[in-house]
PDB file of all heavy atoms in Angstrom:
ATOM      1  N   VAL A   1      -7.931  54.254 -62.141  1.00  0.00           N
ATOM      2  CA  VAL A   1      -8.890  54.951 -63.154  1.00  0.00           C
ATOM      3  C   VAL A   1      -8.197  56.313 -63.570  1.00  0.00           C
ATOM      4  O   VAL A   1      -8.270  56.722 -64.678  1.00  0.00           O
ATOM      5  CB  VAL A   1     -10.255  55.201 -62.481  1.00  0.00           C
ATOM      6  CG1 VAL A   1     -11.006  56.204 -63.383  1.00  0.00           C
ATOM      7  CG2 VAL A   1     -10.959  53.897 -62.340  1.00  0.00           C
ATOM      8  N   ARG A   2      -7.504  56.950 -62.601  1.00  0.00           N
ATOM      9  CA  ARG A   2      -6.837  58.057 -62.922  1.00  0.00           C
ATOM     10  C   ARG A   2      -5.672  57.999 -63.955  1.00  0.00           C
ATOM     11  O   ARG A   2      -5.466  58.814 -64.803  1.00  0.00           O
ATOM     12  CB  ARG A   2      -6.292  58.801 -61.731  1.00  0.00           C
ATOM     13  CG  ARG A   2      -5.784  60.224 -61.828  1.00  0.00           C
ATOM     14  CD  ARG A   2      -5.197  60.832 -60.429  1.00  0.00           C
ATOM     15  NE  ARG A   2      -6.085  60.806 -59.419  1.00  0.00           N
ATOM     16  CZ  ARG A   2      -6.004  60.094 -58.379  1.00  0.00           C
ATOM     17  NH1 ARG A   2      -4.947  59.246 -58.167  1.00  0.00           N
ATOM     18  NH2 ARG A   2      -7.008  60.086 -57.439  1.00  0.00           N
ATOM     19  N   LEU A   3      -4.887  56.831 -63.823  1.00  0.00           N
ATOM     20  CA  LEU A   3      -3.923  56.404 -64.669  1.00  0.00           C
ATOM     21  C   LEU A   3      -4.464  56.278 -66.122  1.00  0.00           C
ATOM     22  O   LEU A   3      -3.925  56.706 -67.124  1.00  0.00           O
ATOM     23  CB  LEU A   3      -3.249  55.194 -64.325  1.00  0.00           C
ATOM     24  CG  LEU A   3      -2.227  55.237 -63.241  1.00  0.00           C
ATOM     25  CD1 LEU A   3      -1.578  53.920 -62.888  1.00  0.00           C
ATOM     26  CD2 LEU A   3      -0.931  56.258 -63.599  1.00  0.00           C
ATOM     27  N   MET A   4      -5.707  55.705 -66.241  1.00  0.00           N
ATOM     28  CA  MET A   4      -6.383  55.443 -67.463  1.00  0.00           C
ATOM     29  C   MET A   4      -6.562  56.800 -68.230  1.00  0.00           C
ATOM     30  O   MET A   4      -6.633  56.782 -69.697  1.00  0.00           O
ATOM     31  CB  MET A   4      -7.720  54.751 -67.377  1.00  0.00           C
ATOM     32  CG  MET A   4      -7.594  53.337 -66.751  1.00  0.00           C
ATOM     33  SD  MET A   4      -9.176  52.620 -66.589  1.00  0.00           S
ATOM     34  CE  MET A   4      -8.828  50.927 -66.054  1.00  0.00           C
ATOM     35  N   SER A   5      -6.819  57.853 -67.564  1.00  0.00           N
ATOM     36  CA  SER A   5      -7.118  59.171 -68.227  1.00  0.00           C
ATOM     37  C   SER A   5      -6.009  59.882 -68.674  1.00  0.00           C
ATOM     38  O   SER A   5      -6.076  60.916 -69.381  1.00  0.00           O
ATOM     39  CB  SER A   5      -7.934  59.929 -67.192  1.00  0.00           C
ATOM     40  OG  SER A   5      -7.128  60.343 -66.097  1.00  0.00           O
ATOM     41  N   LEU A   6      -4.769  59.373 -68.288  1.00  0.00           N
ATOM     42  CA  LEU A   6      -3.581  60.121 -68.722  1.00  0.00           C
ATOM     43  C   LEU A   6      -3.215  59.823 -70.222  1.00  0.00           C
ATOM     44  O   LEU A   6      -3.691  58.766 -70.901  1.00  0.00           O
ATOM     45  CB  LEU A   6      -2.416  59.681 -67.840  1.00  0.00           C
ATOM     46  CG  LEU A   6      -2.496  60.094 -66.356  1.00  0.00           C
ATOM     47  CD1 LEU A   6      -1.215  59.488 -65.696  1.00  0.00           C
ATOM     48  CD2 LEU A   6      -2.670  61.524 -66.115  1.00  0.00           C
ATOM     49  N   HIS A   7      -2.403  60.728 -70.826  1.00  0.00           N
ATOM     50  CA  HIS A   7      -2.202  60.472 -72.290  1.00  0.00           C
ATOM     51  C   HIS A   7      -0.806  59.845 -72.502  1.00  0.00           C
ATOM     52  O   HIS A   7      -0.453  59.602 -73.652  1.00  0.00           O
ATOM     53  CB  HIS A   7      -2.181  61.903 -73.062  1.00  0.00           C
ATOM     54  CG  HIS A   7      -3.514  62.590 -72.887  1.00  0.00           C
ATOM     55  ND1 HIS A   7      -4.651  62.042 -73.482  1.00  0.00           N
ATOM     56  CD2 HIS A   7      -4.022  63.659 -72.254  1.00  0.00           C
ATOM     57  CE1 HIS A   7      -5.617  62.839 -73.351  1.00  0.00           C
ATOM     58  NE2 HIS A   7      -5.243  63.810 -72.498  1.00  0.00           N
ATOM     59  N   THR A   8      -0.076  59.664 -71.414  1.00  0.00           N
ATOM     60  CA  THR A   8       1.163  59.083 -71.513  1.00  0.00           C
ATOM     61  C   THR A   8       1.343  57.833 -70.813  1.00  0.00           C
ATOM     62  O   THR A   8       2.252  57.682 -70.016  1.00  0.00           O
ATOM     63  CB  THR A   8       2.353  60.055 -71.149  1.00  0.00           C
ATOM     64  OG1 THR A   8       1.992  60.429 -69.771  1.00  0.00           O
ATOM     65  CG2 THR A   8       2.312  61.297 -72.067  1.00  0.00           C
ATOM     66  N   ILE A   9       0.594  56.843 -71.122  1.00  0.00           N
ATOM     67  CA  ILE A   9       0.429  55.686 -70.277  1.00  0.00           C
ATOM     68  C   ILE A   9       0.782  54.405 -71.170  1.00  0.00           C
ATOM     69  O   ILE A   9       0.298  53.323 -70.672  1.00  0.00           O
ATOM     70  CB  ILE A   9      -0.933  55.498 -69.577  1.00  0.00           C
ATOM     71  CG1 ILE A   9      -2.181  55.785 -70.499  1.00  0.00           C
ATOM     72  CG2 ILE A   9      -1.084  56.402 -68.372  1.00  0.00           C
ATOM     73  CD1 ILE A   9      -2.708  54.588 -71.168  1.00  0.00           C
ATOM     74  N   GLU A  10       1.392  54.572 -72.353  1.00  0.00           N
ATOM     75  CA  GLU A  10       1.657  53.395 -73.101  1.00  0.00           C
ATOM     76  C   GLU A  10       2.252  52.359 -72.433  1.00  0.00           C
ATOM     77  O   GLU A  10       2.038  51.141 -72.496  1.00  0.00           O
ATOM     78  CB  GLU A  10       2.381  53.827 -74.316  1.00  0.00           C
ATOM     79  CG  GLU A  10       1.567  54.577 -75.378  1.00  0.00           C
ATOM     80  CD  GLU A  10       1.501  56.028 -75.049  1.00  0.00           C
ATOM     81  OE1 GLU A  10       2.172  56.378 -73.988  1.00  0.00           O
ATOM     82  OE2 GLU A  10       0.858  56.820 -75.775  1.00  0.00           O
ATOM     83  N   ASP A  11       3.363  52.715 -71.555  1.00  0.00           N
ATOM     84  CA  ASP A  11       4.181  51.759 -70.831  1.00  0.00           C
ATOM     85  C   ASP A  11       3.262  51.000 -69.713  1.00  0.00           C
ATOM     86  O   ASP A  11       3.797  50.084 -69.009  1.00  0.00           O
ATOM     87  CB  ASP A  11       5.313  52.406 -70.203  1.00  0.00           C
ATOM     88  CG  ASP A  11       6.302  52.895 -71.314  1.00  0.00           C
ATOM     89  OD1 ASP A  11       6.252  52.244 -72.347  1.00  0.00           O
ATOM     90  OD2 ASP A  11       7.171  53.828 -70.998  1.00  0.00           O
ATOM     91  N   LEU A  12       2.206  51.625 -69.313  1.00  0.00           N
ATOM     92  CA  LEU A  12       1.302  51.051 -68.304  1.00  0.00           C
ATOM     93  C   LEU A  12       0.234  50.339 -68.719  1.00  0.00           C
ATOM     94  O   LEU A  12      -0.582  49.779 -67.943  1.00  0.00           O
ATOM     95  CB  LEU A  12       0.802  52.325 -67.283  1.00  0.00           C
ATOM     96  CG  LEU A  12       1.952  53.141 -66.645  1.00  0.00           C
ATOM     97  CD1 LEU A  12       1.395  54.271 -65.981  1.00  0.00           C
ATOM     98  CD2 LEU A  12       2.649  52.189 -65.628  1.00  0.00           C
ATOM     99  N   THR A  13      -0.012  50.264 -70.005  1.00  0.00           N
ATOM    100  CA  THR A  13      -1.357  49.683 -70.505  1.00  0.00           C
ATOM    101  C   THR A  13      -1.385  48.224 -70.024  1.00  0.00           C
ATOM    102  O   THR A  13      -2.464  47.763 -69.584  1.00  0.00           O
ATOM    103  CB  THR A  13      -1.323  49.674 -72.001  1.00  0.00           C
ATOM    104  OG1 THR A  13      -1.305  51.079 -72.431  1.00  0.00           O
ATOM    105  CG2 THR A  13      -2.563  48.953 -72.646  1.00  0.00           C
ATOM    106  N   SER A  14      -0.351  47.485 -70.138  1.00  0.00           N
ATOM    107  CA  SER A  14      -0.425  45.993 -69.836  1.00  0.00           C
ATOM    108  C   SER A  14      -0.636  45.850 -68.258  1.00  0.00           C
ATOM    109  O   SER A  14      -1.485  44.975 -67.821  1.00  0.00           O
ATOM    110  CB  SER A  14       0.875  45.377 -70.226  1.00  0.00           C
ATOM    111  OG  SER A  14       0.905  43.850 -69.948  1.00  0.00           O
ATOM    112  N   CYS A  15       0.005  46.734 -67.482  1.00  0.00           N
ATOM    113  CA  CYS A  15      -0.180  46.687 -66.062  1.00  0.00           C
ATOM    114  C   CYS A  15      -1.581  47.024 -65.738  1.00  0.00           C
ATOM    115  O   CYS A  15      -2.207  46.352 -64.801  1.00  0.00           O
ATOM    116  CB  CYS A  15       0.641  47.700 -65.388  1.00  0.00           C
ATOM    117  SG  CYS A  15       2.527  47.219 -65.496  1.00  0.00           S
ATOM    118  N   ILE A  16      -2.226  47.897 -66.325  1.00  0.00           N
ATOM    119  CA  ILE A  16      -3.634  48.285 -66.111  1.00  0.00           C
ATOM    120  C   ILE A  16      -4.620  47.171 -66.360  1.00  0.00           C
ATOM    121  O   ILE A  16      -5.475  46.793 -65.713  1.00  0.00           O
ATOM    122  CB  ILE A  16      -4.008  49.612 -66.767  1.00  0.00           C
ATOM    123  CG1 ILE A  16      -3.297  50.835 -66.184  1.00  0.00           C
ATOM    124  CG2 ILE A  16      -5.527  49.940 -66.629  1.00  0.00           C
ATOM    125  CD1 ILE A  16      -3.397  52.132 -66.838  1.00  0.00           C
ATOM    126  N   LEU A  17      -4.408  46.510 -67.529  1.00  0.00           N
ATOM    127  CA  LEU A  17      -5.139  45.427 -67.994  1.00  0.00           C
ATOM    128  C   LEU A  17      -5.054  44.250 -67.002  1.00  0.00           C
ATOM    129  O   LEU A  17      -5.983  43.530 -66.721  1.00  0.00           O
ATOM    130  CB  LEU A  17      -4.869  45.015 -69.414  1.00  0.00           C
ATOM    131  CG  LEU A  17      -5.283  45.969 -70.463  1.00  0.00           C
ATOM    132  CD1 LEU A  17      -4.728  45.478 -71.828  1.00  0.00           C
ATOM    133  CD2 LEU A  17      -6.710  46.233 -70.450  1.00  0.00           C
ATOM    134  N   ASP A  18      -3.799  44.172 -66.551  1.00  0.00           N
ATOM    135  CA  ASP A  18      -3.595  42.994 -65.499  1.00  0.00           C
ATOM    136  C   ASP A  18      -4.310  43.363 -64.238  1.00  0.00           C
ATOM    137  O   ASP A  18      -4.923  42.403 -63.633  1.00  0.00           O
ATOM    138  CB  ASP A  18      -2.082  42.962 -65.143  1.00  0.00           C
ATOM    139  CG  ASP A  18      -1.263  42.309 -66.202  1.00  0.00           C
ATOM    140  OD1 ASP A  18      -1.944  41.618 -67.093  1.00  0.00           O
ATOM    141  OD2 ASP A  18       0.030  42.494 -66.313  1.00  0.00           O
ATOM    142  N   PHE A  19      -4.332  44.627 -63.848  1.00  0.00           N
ATOM    143  CA  PHE A  19      -5.166  44.995 -62.569  1.00  0.00           C
ATOM    144  C   PHE A  19      -6.579  44.674 -62.871  1.00  0.00           C
ATOM    145  O   PHE A  19      -7.259  44.224 -62.018  1.00  0.00           O
ATOM    146  CB  PHE A  19      -4.803  46.428 -62.300  1.00  0.00           C
ATOM    147  CG  PHE A  19      -5.738  46.907 -61.056  1.00  0.00           C
ATOM    148  CD1 PHE A  19      -5.043  46.665 -59.917  1.00  0.00           C
ATOM    149  CD2 PHE A  19      -6.860  47.497 -61.221  1.00  0.00           C
ATOM    150  CE1 PHE A  19      -5.721  47.089 -58.648  1.00  0.00           C
ATOM    151  CE2 PHE A  19      -7.546  47.921 -60.030  1.00  0.00           C
ATOM    152  CZ  PHE A  19      -6.935  47.681 -58.771  1.00  0.00           C
ATOM    153  N   GLN A  20      -7.109  44.960 -64.053  1.00  0.00           N
ATOM    154  CA  GLN A  20      -8.549  44.694 -64.324  1.00  0.00           C
ATOM    155  C   GLN A  20      -8.862  43.250 -64.125  1.00  0.00           C
ATOM    156  O   GLN A  20      -9.826  42.831 -63.513  1.00  0.00           O
ATOM    157  CB  GLN A  20      -8.888  45.240 -65.773  1.00  0.00           C
ATOM    158  CG  GLN A  20      -8.972  46.678 -65.888  1.00  0.00           C
ATOM    159  CD  GLN A  20      -9.452  47.144 -67.229  1.00  0.00           C
ATOM    160  OE1 GLN A  20      -9.574  48.346 -67.495  1.00  0.00           O
ATOM    161  NE2 GLN A  20      -9.531  46.301 -68.184  1.00  0.00           N
ATOM    162  N   ALA A  21      -7.943  42.386 -64.731  1.00  0.00           N
ATOM    163  CA  ALA A  21      -8.122  41.017 -64.556  1.00  0.00           C
ATOM    164  C   ALA A  21      -8.092  40.505 -63.109  1.00  0.00           C
ATOM    165  O   ALA A  21      -8.914  39.688 -62.745  1.00  0.00           O
ATOM    166  CB  ALA A  21      -7.084  40.253 -65.488  1.00  0.00           C
ATOM    167  N   ASN A  22      -7.132  41.090 -62.450  1.00  0.00           N
ATOM    168  CA  ASN A  22      -7.064  40.854 -60.912  1.00  0.00           C
ATOM    169  C   ASN A  22      -8.391  41.257 -60.193  1.00  0.00           C
ATOM    170  O   ASN A  22      -8.814  40.504 -59.286  1.00  0.00           O
ATOM    171  CB  ASN A  22      -5.809  41.459 -60.364  1.00  0.00           C
ATOM    172  CG  ASN A  22      -4.606  40.719 -60.587  1.00  0.00           C
ATOM    173  OD1 ASN A  22      -4.530  39.422 -60.493  1.00  0.00           O
ATOM    174  ND2 ASN A  22      -3.418  41.360 -60.893  1.00  0.00           N
ATOM    175  N   PHE A  23      -8.874  42.359 -60.669  1.00  0.00           N
ATOM    176  CA  PHE A  23     -10.078  42.889 -59.781  1.00  0.00           C
ATOM    177  C   PHE A  23     -11.272  42.034 -60.136  1.00  0.00           C
ATOM    178  O   PHE A  23     -12.183  41.861 -59.430  1.00  0.00           O
ATOM    179  CB  PHE A  23     -10.372  44.378 -60.290  1.00  0.00           C
ATOM    180  CG  PHE A  23     -11.320  44.949 -59.505  1.00  0.00           C
ATOM    181  CD1 PHE A  23     -11.166  45.060 -57.983  1.00  0.00           C
ATOM    182  CD2 PHE A  23     -12.556  45.482 -59.972  1.00  0.00           C
ATOM    183  CE1 PHE A  23     -12.170  45.675 -57.288  1.00  0.00           C
ATOM    184  CE2 PHE A  23     -13.629  45.994 -59.237  1.00  0.00           C
ATOM    185  CZ  PHE A  23     -13.366  46.214 -57.877  1.00  0.00           C
ATOM    186  N   ILE A  24     -11.299  41.358 -61.447  1.00  0.00           N
ATOM    187  CA  ILE A  24     -12.218  40.450 -61.717  1.00  0.00           C
ATOM    188  C   ILE A  24     -12.268  39.230 -60.752  1.00  0.00           C
ATOM    189  O   ILE A  24     -13.212  38.760 -60.324  1.00  0.00           O
ATOM    190  CB  ILE A  24     -12.195  39.901 -63.193  1.00  0.00           C
ATOM    191  CG1 ILE A  24     -12.748  40.965 -64.193  1.00  0.00           C
ATOM    192  CG2 ILE A  24     -12.855  38.678 -63.363  1.00  0.00           C
ATOM    193  CD1 ILE A  24     -12.723  40.751 -65.659  1.00  0.00           C
ATOM    194  N   ARG A  25     -10.942  38.825 -60.474  1.00  0.00           N
ATOM    195  CA  ARG A  25     -10.773  37.727 -59.514  1.00  0.00           C
ATOM    196  C   ARG A  25     -11.236  38.163 -58.151  1.00  0.00           C
ATOM    197  O   ARG A  25     -11.888  37.329 -57.465  1.00  0.00           O
ATOM    198  CB  ARG A  25      -9.346  37.318 -59.538  1.00  0.00           C
ATOM    199  CG  ARG A  25      -8.706  36.820 -60.786  1.00  0.00           C
ATOM    200  CD  ARG A  25      -7.290  36.421 -60.635  1.00  0.00           C
ATOM    201  NE  ARG A  25      -6.703  35.895 -61.824  1.00  0.00           N
ATOM    202  CZ  ARG A  25      -5.809  36.612 -62.606  1.00  0.00           C
ATOM    203  NH1 ARG A  25      -5.418  37.743 -62.156  1.00  0.00           N
ATOM    204  NH2 ARG A  25      -5.467  36.087 -63.698  1.00  0.00           N
ATOM    205  N   VAL A  26     -11.044  39.414 -57.788  1.00  0.00           N
ATOM    206  CA  VAL A  26     -11.505  39.712 -56.487  1.00  0.00           C
ATOM    207  C   VAL A  26     -12.980  39.827 -56.517  1.00  0.00           C
ATOM    208  O   VAL A  26     -13.687  39.223 -55.492  1.00  0.00           O
ATOM    209  CB  VAL A  26     -10.952  41.211 -56.139  1.00  0.00           C
ATOM    210  CG1 VAL A  26     -11.622  41.776 -54.890  1.00  0.00           C
ATOM    211  CG2 VAL A  26      -9.455  41.207 -55.989  1.00  0.00           C
ATOM    212  N   ILE A  27     -13.744  40.353 -57.435  1.00  0.00           N
ATOM    213  CA  ILE A  27     -15.159  40.388 -57.495  1.00  0.00           C
ATOM    214  C   ILE A  27     -15.602  38.962 -57.507  1.00  0.00           C
ATOM    215  O   ILE A  27     -16.606  38.692 -56.878  1.00  0.00           O
ATOM    216  CB  ILE A  27     -15.651  41.267 -58.770  1.00  0.00           C
ATOM    217  CG1 ILE A  27     -15.280  42.642 -58.579  1.00  0.00           C
ATOM    218  CG2 ILE A  27     -17.127  41.015 -58.958  1.00  0.00           C
ATOM    219  CD1 ILE A  27     -16.014  43.463 -57.489  1.00  0.00           C
ATOM    220  N   TYR A  28     -15.120  37.984 -58.336  1.00  0.00           N
ATOM    221  CA  TYR A  28     -15.552  36.679 -58.417  1.00  0.00           C
ATOM    222  C   TYR A  28     -15.517  36.075 -57.029  1.00  0.00           C
ATOM    223  O   TYR A  28     -16.406  35.314 -56.617  1.00  0.00           O
ATOM    224  CB  TYR A  28     -14.769  35.956 -59.407  1.00  0.00           C
ATOM    225  CG  TYR A  28     -15.196  34.499 -59.625  1.00  0.00           C
ATOM    226  CD1 TYR A  28     -16.388  34.027 -60.271  1.00  0.00           C
ATOM    227  CD2 TYR A  28     -14.594  33.518 -58.882  1.00  0.00           C
ATOM    228  CE1 TYR A  28     -16.708  32.828 -60.483  1.00  0.00           C
ATOM    229  CE2 TYR A  28     -14.874  32.204 -58.984  1.00  0.00           C
ATOM    230  CZ  TYR A  28     -15.973  31.858 -59.880  1.00  0.00           C
ATOM    231  OH  TYR A  28     -16.484  30.509 -59.921  1.00  0.00           O
ATOM    232  N   ARG A  29     -14.327  36.199 -56.380  1.00  0.00           N
ATOM    233  CA  ARG A  29     -14.126  35.658 -55.125  1.00  0.00           C
ATOM    234  C   ARG A  29     -15.173  36.095 -54.168  1.00  0.00           C
ATOM    235  O   ARG A  29     -15.788  35.249 -53.387  1.00  0.00           O
ATOM    236  CB  ARG A  29     -12.810  35.859 -54.412  1.00  0.00           C
ATOM    237  CG  ARG A  29     -12.657  35.341 -53.118  1.00  0.00           C
ATOM    238  CD  ARG A  29     -11.234  35.058 -52.753  1.00  0.00           C
ATOM    239  NE  ARG A  29     -11.149  34.685 -51.416  1.00  0.00           N
ATOM    240  CZ  ARG A  29     -10.058  34.052 -50.868  1.00  0.00           C
ATOM    241  NH1 ARG A  29      -9.161  33.634 -51.589  1.00  0.00           N
ATOM    242  NH2 ARG A  29     -10.109  33.881 -49.467  1.00  0.00           N
ATOM    243  N   LYS A  30     -15.463  37.441 -54.088  1.00  0.00           N
ATOM    244  CA  LYS A  30     -16.546  37.940 -53.149  1.00  0.00           C
ATOM    245  C   LYS A  30     -17.919  37.387 -53.404  1.00  0.00           C
ATOM    246  O   LYS A  30     -18.594  37.122 -52.642  1.00  0.00           O
ATOM    247  CB  LYS A  30     -16.444  39.456 -53.249  1.00  0.00           C
ATOM    248  CG  LYS A  30     -15.257  40.101 -52.627  1.00  0.00           C
ATOM    249  CD  LYS A  30     -15.421  41.621 -52.488  1.00  0.00           C
ATOM    250  CE  LYS A  30     -14.191  42.164 -51.801  1.00  0.00           C
ATOM    251  NZ  LYS A  30     -14.370  43.762 -51.727  1.00  0.00           N
ATOM    252  N   LYS A  31     -18.192  37.161 -54.751  1.00  0.00           N
ATOM    253  CA  LYS A  31     -19.512  36.770 -55.158  1.00  0.00           C
ATOM    254  C   LYS A  31     -19.613  35.267 -54.866  1.00  0.00           C
ATOM    255  O   LYS A  31     -20.833  34.822 -54.645  1.00  0.00           O
ATOM    256  CB  LYS A  31     -19.589  37.010 -56.781  1.00  0.00           C
ATOM    257  CG  LYS A  31     -20.996  36.544 -57.291  1.00  0.00           C
ATOM    258  CD  LYS A  31     -21.026  37.048 -58.816  1.00  0.00           C
ATOM    259  CE  LYS A  31     -22.398  36.808 -59.336  1.00  0.00           C
ATOM    260  NZ  LYS A  31     -22.844  35.484 -59.463  1.00  0.00           N
ATOM    261  N   THR A  32     -18.624  34.522 -54.745  1.00  0.00           N
ATOM    262  CA  THR A  32     -18.696  33.116 -54.542  1.00  0.00           C
ATOM    263  C   THR A  32     -18.442  32.796 -53.021  1.00  0.00           C
ATOM    264  O   THR A  32     -18.406  31.600 -52.640  1.00  0.00           O
ATOM    265  CB  THR A  32     -17.885  32.287 -55.440  1.00  0.00           C
ATOM    266  OG1 THR A  32     -16.530  32.837 -55.258  1.00  0.00           O
ATOM    267  CG2 THR A  32     -18.286  32.358 -56.891  1.00  0.00           C
ATOM    268  N   THR A  33     -18.156  33.878 -52.241  1.00  0.00           N
ATOM    269  CA  THR A  33     -18.010  33.531 -50.684  1.00  0.00           C
ATOM    270  C   THR A  33     -19.343  33.788 -50.045  1.00  0.00           C
ATOM    271  O   THR A  33     -19.952  34.884 -50.107  1.00  0.00           O
ATOM    272  CB  THR A  33     -17.035  34.635 -50.125  1.00  0.00           C
ATOM    273  OG1 THR A  33     -15.771  34.506 -50.843  1.00  0.00           O
ATOM    274  CG2 THR A  33     -16.696  34.407 -48.714  1.00  0.00           C
ATOM    275  N   LEU A  34     -19.856  32.769 -49.433  1.00  0.00           N
ATOM    276  CA  LEU A  34     -21.140  32.773 -48.734  1.00  0.00           C
ATOM    277  C   LEU A  34     -21.221  33.750 -47.597  1.00  0.00           C
ATOM    278  O   LEU A  34     -20.189  33.915 -46.815  1.00  0.00           O
ATOM    279  CB  LEU A  34     -21.510  31.245 -48.312  1.00  0.00           C
ATOM    280  CG  LEU A  34     -21.709  30.352 -49.519  1.00  0.00           C
ATOM    281  CD1 LEU A  34     -22.002  29.071 -48.869  1.00  0.00           C
ATOM    282  CD2 LEU A  34     -22.750  30.742 -50.469  1.00  0.00           C
ATOM    283  N   VAL A  35     -22.388  34.372 -47.389  1.00  0.00           N
ATOM    284  CA  VAL A  35     -22.511  35.266 -46.209  1.00  0.00           C
ATOM    285  C   VAL A  35     -22.926  34.323 -45.028  1.00  0.00           C
ATOM    286  O   VAL A  35     -23.875  33.524 -45.140  1.00  0.00           O
ATOM    287  CB  VAL A  35     -23.724  36.241 -46.542  1.00  0.00           C
ATOM    288  CG1 VAL A  35     -23.963  37.033 -45.345  1.00  0.00           C
ATOM    289  CG2 VAL A  35     -23.316  37.206 -47.718  1.00  0.00           C
ATOM    290  N   ASP A  36     -22.190  34.522 -43.875  1.00  0.00           N
ATOM    291  CA  ASP A  36     -22.531  33.820 -42.726  1.00  0.00           C
ATOM    292  C   ASP A  36     -22.312  34.665 -41.483  1.00  0.00           C
ATOM    293  O   ASP A  36     -21.162  34.590 -41.017  1.00  0.00           O
ATOM    294  CB  ASP A  36     -21.583  32.517 -42.721  1.00  0.00           C
ATOM    295  CG  ASP A  36     -22.014  31.475 -41.691  1.00  0.00           C
ATOM    296  OD1 ASP A  36     -22.926  31.848 -40.886  1.00  0.00           O
ATOM    297  OD2 ASP A  36     -21.740  30.205 -41.812  1.00  0.00           O
TER     298      ASP A  36
END
């Protein structure tokens, strides 16, 4: 999130969007893992 607020992150844009996609996978896996 701190990287997102910087003004010189053009080279990092794709990496940040990839991280968001990966975090969606993390959230989805947690949501579909049953509590036991």
Side-chain angles (χ1 to χ4, degrees):
V1 171
R2 191 182 303 116
L3 281 179
M4 292 177 177
S5 64
L6 299 178
H7 300 291
T8 56
I9 46 92
E10 288 82 2
D11 294 337
L12 298 171
T13 299
S14 183
C15 293
I16 293 174
L17 291 176
D18 286 342
F19 181 83
Q20 287 180 178
N22 280 321
F23 191 60
I24 283 181
R25 298 184 181 104
V26 171
I27 292 293
Y28 179 82
R29 172 160 175 158
K30 288 185 176 184
K31 188 173 183 289
T32 54
T33 300
L34 296 178
V35 173
D36 193 344

